[in-house]
């Protein structure tokens, strides 16, 4: 295989990877039509409504409500459930911080439950132990686009009369038992930010099949929601303006035209890369259970076990792969629960705490060992746009990983010498 690129050899992957976001002439024309038509708001344009209807239909939901960001979608979705102030919402710690802070913004309390080490998703077997008389909802995070194990989660929710909100920020085009993610629980929330599988640069969308949840969302996302229904002059919520602009919606509609084609391409390449990496010792792709009918692969994620690489540190492994032309990272340095916001509440959290009195959850003792271990030792990420490359590029990624493994002694010696 030759010397490693990091020590002067030739990289395995010498070409360029697909860029993201992908612009296109259809997006330019759609945006131009909005600008020239002077219809920049959903109050007098049709792009936002068209996108809501089309994306809801694509995922399989009755209703879609476009908002200004994925964080806004989570907050609006939570608010639409009319949870009690101070209610507890169970979620995974292995997620972007917005999953947890949106719970606080909805006047509720995040409670972290550890993940399954082989899927990076919340472990259903650990949820019931975290339920108290103040628990009112479960937030499922389909991390990296891999569907959560929704069957037992829905059973627990029914048993304890809990609501289920799906954080689908990574899940565009993903399916669980053939059903679109974001349509399985009571409400789903998607991000449409710059790195997401479907993007308008900014934005988010709330999905639901429930009429009451939809109209609650409408009322909360816009104090003056006359662009959706007749203005009543009745204000039910203290809220912000979370409307989406016509210009962003026009870009989203253009990108939605190619979402399914891209989702199929990512899924095929991601599954193929899993097969290739399964044959390399010390590299473990995520487990795909039978309910995973499509992984959306927002992040291609695998576990790195340094013992199989003679103790080579994960960071050095990542550096060697990047030198070989594989755009890999080590992901989160710490999970949500391990953030100063929760470990130093006297600094930030006290003023925002939704229950009376002092912060009454001991996050320092709420350990999530699987999540912490992945952040500290094992997780490796490759962004979704890489999976839009040709199928042969997946073979190059596997070849680069195997090259590093075979030449690990050279890499270790180089690290000592430096």
């Amino acid at each position: 295989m030759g010397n490693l690129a990091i020590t002067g050899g030739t990289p395995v992957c010498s070409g360029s990877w697909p860029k993201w976001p992908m612009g296109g002439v259809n997006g330019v024309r759609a945006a131009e039509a909005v600008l020239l038509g002077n219809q920049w708001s959903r109050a007098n344009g049709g792009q936002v409504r068209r996108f809501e209807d089309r994306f809801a239909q694509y995922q399989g939901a009755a209703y879609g409500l476009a908002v200004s960001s994925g964080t806004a979608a989570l907050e609006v979705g939570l608010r639409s459930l009319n949870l009690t102030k101070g209610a507890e919402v169970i979620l995974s710690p292995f997620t972007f911080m917005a999953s947890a802070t949106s719970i606080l913004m909805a006047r509720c309390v995040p409670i972290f439950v550890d993940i399954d080490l082989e899927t990076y998703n919340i472990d259903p077997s650990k949820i019931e132990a975290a339920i108290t008389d103040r628990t009112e909802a479960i937030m499922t995070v389909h991390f990296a686009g891999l569907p959560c194990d929704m069957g037992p989660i829905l059973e627990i929710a029914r048993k304890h009369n809990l609501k289920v909100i799906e954080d689908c920020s990574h899940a565009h085009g993903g399916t669980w038992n053939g059903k679109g993610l974001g349509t399985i629980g009571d409400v789903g929330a998607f991000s449409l930010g710059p790195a997401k599988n479907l993007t308008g640069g900014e934005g988010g969308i709330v999905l639901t099949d429930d009429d009451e949840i939809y109209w609650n969302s409408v009322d909360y996302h816009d104090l003056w929601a006359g662009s959706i229904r007749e203005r009543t002059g009745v204000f039910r919520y203290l809220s912000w303006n979370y409307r989406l602009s016509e210009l962003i919606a026009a870009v989203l509609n253009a990108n939605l035209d190619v979402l399914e084609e891209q989702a199929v391409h990512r899924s095929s390449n991601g599954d193929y890369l899993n097969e290739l990496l399964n044959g390399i010792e010390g590299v473990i792709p995520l487990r795909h259970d039978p309910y995973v009918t499509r992984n959306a692969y927002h992040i291609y994620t695998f576990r790195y076990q340094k013992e199989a690489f003679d103790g080579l540190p994960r960071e050095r492994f990542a550096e060697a792969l990047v030198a070989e032309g594989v755009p890999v990272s080590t992901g989160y340095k710490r999970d949500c629960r391990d953030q100063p916001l929760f470990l130093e509440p006297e600094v930030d959290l006290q003023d925002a705490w939704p229950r009376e009195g002092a912060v009454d959850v001991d996050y320092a003792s709420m350990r999530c060992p699987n999540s912490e271990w992945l952040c500290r030792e094992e997780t490796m990420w490759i962004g979704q746009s890489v999976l839009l490359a040709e199928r042969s590029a997946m073979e190059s990624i596997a070849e680069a990983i195997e090259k590093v493994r075979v030449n690990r002694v050279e890499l270790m010696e180089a690290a000592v010498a430096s």
Side-chain angles (χ1 to χ4, degrees):
M1 288 189 176
N3 293 334
L4 293 169
I6 200 171
T7 57
T10 302
V12 171
C13 307
S14 57
S16 60
W17 297 100
K19 303 297 182 184
W20 194 263
M22 293 180 174
V25 65
N26 289 342
V28 172
R29 289 172 178 168
E32 181 182 50
V34 171
L35 291 171
L36 296 179
N38 291 322
Q39 295 178 328
W40 296 6
S41 165
R42 74 173 298 156
N44 57 14
Q47 290 288 343
V48 175
R49 171 57 74 189
R50 179 168 177 258
F51 172 70
E52 290 170 337
D53 291 345
R54 292 180 69 208
F55 187 72
Q57 182 179 24
Y58 175 76
Q59 290 293 130
Y63 299 103
L65 178 71
V67 293
S68 55
S69 70
T71 305
L74 285 167
E75 182 184 341
V76 170
L78 284 161
R79 288 281 193 164
S80 74
L81 299 175
N82 283 333
L83 304 177
T84 305
K85 180 181 178 181
E88 294 176 355
V89 179
I90 290 171
L91 78 159
S92 157
F94 200 87
T95 180
F96 183 58
M97 196 64 178
S99 303
T101 56
S102 66
I103 293 171
L104 288 166
M105 293 297 292
R107 308 179 309 162
C108 295
V109 177
I111 300 295
F112 297 107
V113 168
D114 205 5
I115 59 175
D116 184 324
L117 199 62
E118 297 182 350
T119 67
Y120 289 29
N121 285 330
I122 193 168
D123 186 340
S125 70
K126 298 176 181 177
I127 290 177
E128 282 200 279
I131 294 175
T132 71
D133 58 1
R134 298 192 289 197
T135 307
E136 293 189 13
I138 302 169
M139 178 184 287
T140 59
V141 181
H142 303 295
F143 189 80
L146 184 71
C148 289
D149 190 358
M150 296 300 294
I153 292 172
L154 293 174
E155 289 181 10
I156 292 168
R158 285 191 290 267
K159 176 181 177 182
H160 295 276
N161 193 30
L162 307 178
K163 299 294 186 180
V164 175
I165 177 170
E166 298 174 70
D167 182 342
C168 299
S169 295
H170 297 174
H172 316 72
T175 60
W176 170 85
N177 284 331
K179 187 174 176 62
L181 300 180
T183 71
I184 302 158
D186 296 281
V187 64
F190 290 76
S191 171
L192 304 167
K196 298 304 187 287
N197 294 20
L198 175 63
T199 179
E202 300 292 347
I205 188 167
V206 178
L207 299 185
T208 187
D209 287 335
D210 187 281
D211 185 77
E212 181 179 0
I213 289 174
Y214 171 69
W215 287 113
N216 287 347
S217 298
V218 169
D219 286 346
Y220 185 74
H221 101 293
D222 180 4
L223 280 171
W224 198 246
S227 57
I228 298 179
R229 64 178 176 182
E230 182 179 355
R231 293 171 179 167
T232 63
V234 176
F235 299 97
R236 299 177 56 208
Y237 296 105
L238 176 64
S239 70
W240 309 101
N241 162 26
Y242 285 145
R243 294 189 302 270
L244 187 72
S245 79
E246 284 287 291
L247 190 60
I248 290 176
V251 174
L252 285 165
N253 275 314
N255 290 337
L256 185 53
D257 290 340
V258 297
L259 175 59
E260 176 62 12
E261 177 185 347
Q262 291 173 341
V264 170
H265 195 113
R266 286 190 197 94
S267 180
S268 176
N269 273 344
D271 291 347
Y272 182 47
L273 187 52
N274 286 342
E275 294 175 16
L276 295 171
L277 298 194
N278 275 327
I280 301 177
E281 185 180 1
V283 175
I284 306 175
L286 298 189
R287 188 184 76 233
H288 280 58
D289 293 302
Y291 58 78
V292 179
T293 44
R294 184 194 280 171
N295 184 341
Y297 285 112
H298 174 62
I299 306 169
Y300 183 86
T301 311
F302 64 92
R303 293 163 59 199
Y304 168 72
Q305 298 188 318
K306 64 182 180 182
E307 295 79 9
F309 286 72
D310 292 339
L312 180 71
R314 178 181 58 160
E315 289 69 22
R316 188 62 172 165
F317 170 72
E319 290 172 1
L321 269 187
V322 170
E324 297 296 338
V326 180
V328 69
S329 77
T330 56
Y332 296 139
K333 304 303 180 188
R334 56 174 68 186
D335 64 18
C336 271
R337 184 214 60 88
D338 198 27
Q339 295 293 332
L341 178 66
F342 294 108
L343 298 184
E344 302 172 14
E346 70 280 358
V347 176
D348 296 305
L349 194 55
Q350 185 68 58
D351 291 341
W353 194 248
R355 292 203 284 245
E356 295 296 326
V359 175
D360 59 353
V361 175
D362 183 6
Y363 287 105
S365 65
M366 193 183 293
R367 304 305 298 270
C368 297
N370 286 347
S371 177
E372 294 166 21
W373 173 260
L374 288 174
C375 291
R376 186 174 63 249
E377 298 288 343
E378 288 192 352
T379 187
M380 302 294 299
W381 295 7
I382 298 175
Q384 54 88 5
S385 62
V386 170
L387 297 182
L388 296 176
E390 296 299 319
R391 188 176 179 86
S392 59
M394 305 304 104
E395 297 167 1
S396 296
I397 293 173
E399 181 183 346
I401 293 174
E402 179 63 12
K403 180 181 178 183
V404 174
R405 193 191 71 80
V406 169
N407 292 281
R408 60 193 181 276
V409 174
E410 173 195 346
L411 191 54
M412 292 284 284
E413 291 175 347
V416 172
S418 63

